Amino acid sequence: RFIIELMRNGNVVQTPADNDLLTSLYTDEAVRFLNEAGDAPFFLFLSYNAPHTPLGVHPDFAGKSKAGRYGDAVEELDWSVGRILAALEKQRLSENTLVIFVSDNGPETRSELGDDIGSAGPFRGGKYSNWEGGVRVPAIWRWPGVIPKNQHQHELTTLMDIYPTLAHLAGAELPDRTIDGYNILPLLKDEAAAVSPYDVYYYHMLSQLQAVRKNDWKLVLPRRENSPHLRWLGRYMDTVSAPQLYDLASDPGETRNIADKHPDVVKALLAEADKGRQVLGDINRIGAGARFFDNGPPRPETYFPNVILYDSTEE
């Protein structure tokens, strides 16, 4: 059971916090901050609790949606973001402020949560999965006069791109280390020659490599459900007994495994997966480019030298 505490600068100001009021409280605080911003540069990071479970919904929005409590929470978020944009307009900050609205993962889809779940639409899977419904989320970037309005960009980008993009816009130098992201300003400006900066993209769950994508080809790698190497997340995994290939251009919902029709593509993507393991690792190896939070040796509990990724004969 979650105990939600409301904190300010490390001090608990309410425990347990009223979950139904958190979205409005966060929005009030954001609006207050913008009203006091003045002409000084600012950075506002607003991470709402909603629509994370357990869901909280303000009484003014309870029962307003046809999509249950999850829909109510989303409607309150939509209204709250509108308040923030209105505050920017009121302070005449819109033309010089980049607003990014994005989720960190797909929705909860477990039926046992009742109407506290969302929908990934046409995509397979949801939160905790590396099917597209778990990782493909909408991202809205708003900057009047810089980012063209009403454009839809379908090139592959990631949350990792926010940091180098903002650094570029601020004229800041990136630190001397490998940065797992790219400046995607050309894509945001919808420049004619702009394409995704990702030649190959790797899907991990904790330390396990679960899929690899190149262009519109996605290869889902073998795994088993309830793998002990995924700890508590293992119970959300399904079994994949052999590599599965999907063409995300024609089948974004990952409904048609066409591995048997394109063995050359499967072979090429398996080779890309091996390249990724050399750098990032997998459940049975430490990657050469793996970084830890300190200078100590790799953690023994994350290293399983005798583990195979999946044995289809295992019961």
Side-chain angles (χ1 to χ4, degrees):
R1 180 184 176 92
F2 289 100
I3 297 178
I4 301 172
E5 296 184 323
L6 190 63
M7 304 180 68
R8 180 186 292 276
N9 298 329
N11 298 316
V12 176
V13 297
Q14 188 181 94
T15 182
D18 189 335
N19 197 28
D20 289 338
L21 300 181
L22 285 183
T23 295
S24 60
L25 286 174
Y26 287 0
T27 305
D28 288 344
E29 189 73 7
V31 170
R32 180 198 63 77
F33 174 84
L34 293 174
N35 288 340
E36 297 175 0
D39 296 328
F42 65 84
F43 173 76
L44 171 62
F45 178 74
L46 175 56
S47 184
Y48 284 108
N49 275 38
H52 194 288
T53 56
L55 283 177
V57 179
H58 193 282
D60 290 347
F61 291 88
K64 298 295 185 182
S65 166
K66 296 180 180 180
R69 281 176 55 81
Y70 190 96
D72 295 345
V74 171
E75 288 204 7
E76 183 178 3
L77 283 174
D78 179 74
W79 181 81
S80 298
V81 172
R83 284 187 60 201
I84 292 170
L85 296 180
L88 286 172
E89 294 286 351
K90 181 179 179 181
Q91 299 300 321
R92 299 183 179 180
L93 296 171
S94 290
E95 298 298 319
N96 200 33
T97 302
L98 170 62
V99 177
I100 305 171
F101 182 86
V102 66
S103 177
D104 56 346
N105 50 250
E108 276 276 18
T109 56
R110 292 176 292 159
S111 59
E112 62 266 29
L113 294 175
D115 66 355
D116 281 8
I117 63 175
S119 169
F123 302 116
R124 182 175 177 177
K127 185 175 181 177
Y128 304 121
S129 90
N130 271 312
W131 299 111
E132 292 299 289
V135 295
R136 188 186 293 213
V137 296
I140 302 172
W141 295 61
R142 177 185 185 269
W143 192 358
V146 178
I147 298 176
K149 62 181 180 180
N150 299 327
Q151 67 155 313
H152 295 82
Q153 183 58 257
H154 297 286
E155 293 288 329
L156 173 63
T157 59
T158 77
L159 291 179
M160 297 182 292
D161 302 325
I162 293 178
Y163 170 49
T165 302
L166 295 185
H168 170 79
L169 290 170
E173 292 187 11
L174 294 174
D176 184 18
R177 65 186 66 177
T178 300
I179 302 297
D180 297 320
Y182 301 90
N183 170 25
I184 58 170
L185 187 60
L187 282 172
L188 297 174
K189 289 184 173 182
D190 201 25
E191 295 178 2
V195 296
S196 171
Y198 292 89
D199 179 50
V200 179
Y201 181 74
Y202 299 99
Y203 300 71
H204 280 81
M205 174 58 70
L206 299 182
S207 60
Q208 185 180 57
L209 178 62
Q210 294 192 338
V212 58
R213 173 178 173 176
K214 187 177 180 66
N215 298 321
D216 289 319
W217 293 112
K218 179 180 178 181
L219 187 72
V220 179
L221 301 169
R223 61 173 182 260
R224 64 173 181 171
E225 60 179 327
N226 284 324
S227 169
H229 314 299
L230 298 181
R231 302 187 178 181
W232 66 273
L233 287 170
R235 67 180 182 268
Y236 298 104
M237 295 300 106
D238 49 354
T239 293
V240 176
S241 58
Q244 298 181 9
L245 181 68
Y246 298 94
D247 177 4
L248 296 181
S250 62
D251 181 26
E254 297 167 292
T255 62
R256 300 184 297 276
N257 174 18
I258 52 177
D260 59 338
K261 298 180 180 179
H262 300 277
D264 55 332
V265 176
V266 173
K267 182 179 179 180
L269 289 179
L270 286 173
E272 295 290 354
D274 282 337
K275 292 179 184 178
R277 292 188 183 104
Q278 292 173 23
V279 178
L280 299 174
D282 207 333
I283 59 173
N284 61 346
R285 71 180 72 176
I286 298 288
R291 301 194 297 269
F292 295 88
F293 290 107
D294 55 46
N295 294 321
R299 313 306 184 264
E301 65 269 19
T302 65
Y303 184 42
F304 305 94
N306 298 316
V307 172
I308 56 176
L309 297 182
Y310 180 82
D311 183 353
S312 61
T313 65
E314 182 181 1
E315 295 295 331

